[in-house]
Amino acid sequence: MGKSKTTKFKRPKFNAVGLPADGVKEADAEEEEPGDDSCPAAELLEKLQSPSADVREFACASVSRVVQQSQTIPVFLQRDAIRRLGPMLMDTSLAVRETAAGALRNLSACGGQEVCEDMVKHDVMTPLTALLRESCAGFESSAAAVTDKKNAVEDVAHEAVNLLWNLCESSSQSLSVFNKAGLLDLVVQCLERHPHNIELAISAAHCLHTVTEDNPELLCSLNAAVLGVVESALLTSQPAMAHTLLRTLAAGTLWNVKGSLPAARQAQTLNAVVATLSKCLDLDPGTLIPELRRAEEVRHRSAPAAADSEDQAVVEMDEEAEEAKEEAAAPKHKRNGKAVRVDNDFSDLLPRDKEELKEATALLTAQQTSLEIIVNMCCSDDPSDDEWEEGSSSDECDLGPDGLCDGVCNLMSPLCLSAEVHEALIQHSIPEKVLKKTEFPRKEAMDVCQQIPSWRGLIKKAQRVQSRALTCLHSILSAMDAESLGGAAALQEAAQHLSTLVFGAAEIPKDEEFLEAIISAMRSLLQMIASKNISQCMTPQQLMSLSEAATRCDVVSVRVNAVAILGITGSTLAKEKDAAETLQMIGNALLQVATKDANLVVNGEALDALFDVFADGDEAETASKNIHLLPALKALQPVFRAKIRKEGRGQCSPQQLCVLDNIKVNLKRFIGYLEKVVKK
């Protein structure tokens, strides 16, 4: 029905922090005591006023722990937790500052956008800004005084930067404060600590990657010193996965600010950015994850008791984090009018000495981020609607030779991609590397994760990398021509690979994120193959099973893309001999969707596909008569018109309504065409 475009990825929104394993037990004991709603909110918040710094620290740490169970958050909010915690950011005790920032960070992470906006209303940004200024001012003096590995001032800054990241992602008002209060320089100072404190630098890099996206006001204040620090992070050479993540985030930030770079440096910077993403995608989690696990085993042999207690603590925290993650990820928020994909990262819940697991987490996060950056490189900056594969060519209502408004025929005309970006992506073999990432890591790596409770969260992260790779492949197919992607042979090989991903198992995967990504990639690829008259690789049985799986999915875009795939395949088959039987199956499936799907957009896509499949050819004419297409469409016509009148304005954007109006016109014309066919 329309040209398929991918919504730009936003930075992962929330990143919560947990208490160290030795700080959890007291909080657990506190939770077990009976109280209002089984939540000790009143008592903990009262302890924030204690004259004892130790009691205040315990109270903040306990709040941080308890609010990871998101069902407790309303109780804390009702008792004015945000207003009480805000001043604690400037407590006289550094330990209280750190735990207070951690508590607010968890509230923002597990409570979602509404809690973040509530924090802004309670002016959390003012003490947070003061805390960051004081912390950054103390970096050098604190570093000189530190004799062990823990730097208290940097730990405070780490929590503060993560809280700032959450707030700026969710609240435009926070972003405005960030721009006006000179917070950019403070976050850059934190990034500059990467030789000494990689965790602080990564948090700062995440924050910079967020605040530099779609923020022209901030871009005006960028200077050579800021760019120099980001570039120095990009050019680090340490092989550790944490540094790979740091370089990836620096690359994303430089892509965001590309318009502010001196013209003479833009080409060089672009090449460095793409080279960084390419090197990240070269890494193989299937090999590295088992290696990291073996390294952890070697280390644990010298301290088995400590390892057992660590694993148990991580398992407990993972369960709570996963629950909080599901709660926070439920809504899809918007910033600057664009959809935000929430992707929570709870890696900070890991104890400080779970280094191998942190490295594995950093690897998968870096690869996911790299793929999201490439998606954004391939995407137009024009706003688009989420569900209608977004920006329909039918909007223009160009009349084709059959008298119908031009719909699917221009479905996948390439999006605008600059010659420089195109050349860089090809030079660094990005399309091939993205296709490789659509494969799931080999079984050995996932078995390692499954066997060790504390590593099981990596399986979901690996699945997300695969889904991002499929979305990235869809964007690349939308932005490049067939020749750039290797020609007919490469496209057929890619199509066969995607078919294996979908049909290789006993049944089609039901995971919505995977299904949405794979089906959008298949739609893009099949359309490109059809436009080049390359033979399709899906059997009719596979096509029908994919369609059936999609119709059971709640995600509208999955159903839209499945219908489009039926239309693409059917219009290709209509040109071949002895295809009437398969066309009948496709026609019946499309009629079923057009008639019974609850979503008006999906109904319209199904009708548009019907027009395309049965527009011309002897096989199509035979099939249309056998399935009684004409009387079915005549019966559907008044129902479709009434549905547009009743539901259109409530369900659809103005752009979508324009497309639906075109389909309504096309339906009338197509019925007229079928009446002539019947009279032959």
Side-chain angles (χ1 to χ4, degrees):
M1 180 180 292
K3 174 168 57 180
S4 183
K5 285 168 49 174
T6 306
T7 304
K8 290 176 67 178
F9 277 107
K10 298 293 182 181
R11 289 306 315 127
K13 177 166 291 198
F14 296 127
N15 190 356
V17 65
L19 298 173
D22 59 0
V24 166
K25 295 178 182 176
E26 287 186 278
D28 284 344
E30 187 77 22
E31 286 178 55
E32 291 171 0
E33 294 178 9
D36 294 344
D37 299 322
S38 301
C39 177
E43 184 178 353
L44 290 177
L45 294 174
E46 192 64 35
K47 287 178 179 177
L48 294 177
Q49 309 305 318
S50 170
S52 166
D54 288 342
V55 173
R56 297 196 302 275
E57 179 188 356
F58 166 75
C60 290
S62 298
V63 171
S64 181
R65 174 72 172 177
V66 173
V67 297
Q68 289 175 29
Q69 301 170 11
S70 56
Q71 71 271 19
T72 67
I73 290 177
V75 180
F76 279 93
L77 296 180
Q78 289 165 11
R79 297 183 181 275
D80 228 3
I82 294 173
R83 187 184 59 78
R84 295 188 186 194
L85 283 167
M88 310 299 290
L89 294 174
M90 293 305 296
D91 194 274
T92 54
S93 162
L94 280 180
V96 173
R97 292 182 182 189
E98 181 185 354
T99 51
L104 287 167
R105 179 184 174 193
N106 278 10
L107 270 171
S108 67
C110 302
Q113 186 177 22
E114 289 184 9
V115 172
C116 290
E117 290 177 347
D118 204 25
M119 287 185 183
V120 177
K121 289 177 185 175
H122 284 85
D123 199 24
V124 166
M125 287 295 290
T126 296
L128 178 59
T129 300
L131 176 62
L132 269 173
R133 288 194 190 285
E134 194 168 313
S135 298
C136 292
F139 279 165
E140 296 304 328
S141 58
S142 67
V146 167
T147 56
D148 60 11
K149 293 182 180 179
K150 185 174 173 65
N151 183 320
V153 172
E154 290 186 354
D155 287 346
V156 173
H158 182 231
E159 295 301 324
V161 169
N162 275 282
L163 174 57
L164 179 64
W165 170 26
N166 290 353
L167 294 177
C168 288
E169 182 60 73
S170 294
S171 164
S172 58
Q173 191 175 344
S174 292
L175 201 60
S176 178
V177 173
F178 185 99
N179 294 341
K180 292 178 171 62
L183 290 175
L184 175 64
D185 292 337
L186 301 179
V187 175
V188 169
Q189 275 186 259
C190 295
L191 176 62
E192 211 167 4
R193 303 297 295 171
H194 65 81
H196 316 288
N197 189 330
I198 188 63
E199 289 188 350
L200 173 61
I202 287 174
S203 295
H206 273 300
C207 188
L208 279 177
H209 194 194
T210 292
V211 300
T212 53
E213 186 168 15
D214 297 329
N215 188 359
E217 182 183 352
L218 182 67
L219 300 190
C220 295
S221 64
L222 290 177
N223 54 45
V226 170
L227 294 173
V229 173
V230 178
E231 287 174 349
S232 72
L234 181 77
L235 297 175
T236 58
S237 57
Q238 291 92 327
M241 297 302 105
H243 284 86
T244 297
L245 176 56
L246 179 70
R247 288 190 288 271
T248 301
L249 292 166
T253 298
L254 287 171
W255 171 255
N256 289 343
V257 304
K258 59 189 179 297
S260 300
L261 297 172
R265 289 172 52 195
Q266 288 188 3
Q268 180 183 4
T269 302
L270 172 62
N271 190 63
V273 165
V274 178
T276 299
L277 304 179
S278 177
K279 288 176 184 175
C280 178
L281 295 180
D282 280 336
L283 298 170
D284 179 18
T287 301
L288 291 170
I289 288 176
E291 287 179 0
L292 288 165
R293 174 55 191 162
R294 285 192 290 271
E296 184 181 63
E297 287 175 335
V298 170
R299 183 171 57 80
H300 280 179
R301 287 192 193 110
S302 62
D308 289 344
S309 63
E310 275 178 19
D311 269 345
Q312 184 57 36
V314 172
V315 171
E316 291 172 1
M317 287 187 282
D318 276 350
E319 290 172 353
E320 291 172 5
E322 195 62 35
E323 183 181 346
K325 177 169 65 174
E326 294 300 327
E327 293 287 338
K332 284 190 177 180
H333 308 308
K334 291 195 174 185
R335 179 163 69 85
N336 296 336
K338 294 188 178 180
V340 174
R341 291 179 180 270
V342 178
D343 178 19
N344 302 296
D345 176 6
F346 285 86
S347 57
D348 277 6
L349 287 163
L350 301 175
R352 289 177 183 271
D353 52 356
K354 295 291 289 184
E355 293 304 324
E356 295 84 5
L357 181 50
K358 283 186 175 182
E359 284 282 277
T361 302
L363 166 62
L364 295 175
T365 303
Q367 293 199 331
Q368 176 185 328
T369 304
S370 294
L371 293 163
E372 292 172 357
I373 294 167
I374 296 167
V375 168
N376 290 352
M377 286 180 165
C378 294
C379 280
S380 165
D381 287 331
D382 294 334
S384 59
D385 295 310
D386 281 339
E387 269 114 18
W388 209 328
E389 302 307 320
E390 275 104 309
S392 173
S393 57
S394 297
D395 297 351
E396 298 160 8
C397 200
D398 296 326
L399 295 184
D402 57 2
L404 299 181
C405 297
D406 187 16
V408 178
C409 62
N410 288 329
L411 187 68
M412 285 296 301
S413 56
L415 302 176
C416 180
L417 188 65
S418 73
E420 293 80 8
V421 173
H422 183 281
E423 182 181 352
L425 295 176
I426 296 298
Q427 179 185 344
H428 292 282
S429 304
I430 294 298
E432 293 89 338
K433 293 179 182 183
V434 169
L435 184 63
K436 181 72 174 172
K437 285 298 162 191
T438 63
E439 299 174 5
F440 200 61
R442 69 173 192 259
K443 186 174 183 295
E444 180 192 353
M446 294 301 98
D447 286 347
V448 165
C449 297
Q450 187 62 47
Q451 291 163 9
I452 311 300
S454 59
W455 287 61
R456 284 178 191 157
L458 295 180
I459 297 174
K460 182 64 177 175
K461 292 181 184 297
Q463 290 170 338
R464 181 151 290 146
V465 170
Q466 182 187 34
S467 294
R468 292 294 191 269
L470 288 163
T471 301
C472 192
L473 178 63
H474 161 65
S475 296
I476 288 171
L477 289 165
S478 303
M480 294 185 181
D481 56 31
E483 288 67 32
S484 298
L485 298 171
L491 293 176
Q492 281 187 311
E493 185 179 342
Q496 189 59 52
H497 169 66
L498 293 186
S499 294
T500 301
L501 290 180
V502 176
F503 304 111
E507 60 180 22
I508 293 176
K510 294 183 174 64
D511 179 76
E512 288 185 350
E513 187 175 19
F514 173 81
L515 199 56
E516 184 176 15
I518 186 80
I519 207 165
S520 67
M522 290 185 76
R523 173 181 177 173
S524 303
L525 183 57
L526 290 174
Q527 179 60 37
M528 183 175 283
I529 286 174
S531 69
K532 297 296 179 182
N533 295 316
I534 302 168
S535 59
Q536 306 273 11
C537 64
M538 289 175 64
T539 67
Q541 291 73 24
Q542 288 176 334
L543 188 68
M544 289 300 106
S545 64
L546 181 63
S547 174
E548 289 169 9
T551 57
R552 293 192 294 270
C553 182
D554 291 335
V555 180
V556 171
S557 64
V558 169
R559 306 204 300 276
V560 166
N561 280 323
V563 166
I565 288 173
L566 287 176
I568 293 164
T569 307
S571 62
T572 302
L573 287 173
K575 302 170 187 174
E576 300 176 3
K577 292 183 178 180
D578 302 321
E581 186 175 344
T582 304
L583 291 177
Q584 287 173 211
M585 284 197 313
I586 291 173
N588 280 324
L590 290 172
L591 274 174
Q592 185 84 355
V593 174
T595 306
K596 295 189 176 180
D597 196 287
N599 187 276
L600 186 55
V601 169
V602 182
N603 301 147
E605 186 76 45
L607 285 170
D608 207 35
L610 280 167
F611 306 155
D612 205 47
V613 173
F614 295 98
D616 193 23
D618 294 338
E619 296 294 319
E621 289 182 11
T622 302
S624 67
K625 291 175 182 176
N626 290 343
I627 65 172
H628 309 292
L629 183 59
L630 177 58
L633 291 180
K634 280 186 173 180
L636 178 58
Q637 186 179 27
V639 177
F640 183 64
R641 284 177 173 173
K643 197 170 183 180
I644 292 176
R645 284 196 307 271
K646 292 178 181 178
E647 303 175 17
R649 296 197 181 280
Q651 279 191 12
C652 306
S653 69
Q655 189 179 31
Q656 291 172 332
L657 284 173
C658 178
V659 179
L660 288 166
D661 284 338
N662 287 340
I663 291 170
K664 182 174 65 175
V665 172
N666 285 345
L667 178 56
K668 180 179 180 180
R669 292 171 177 167
F670 191 67
I671 288 172
Y673 161 75
L674 290 177
E675 287 173 338
K676 293 177 183 176
V677 169
V678 170
K679 292 177 182 176
K680 281 186 179 181

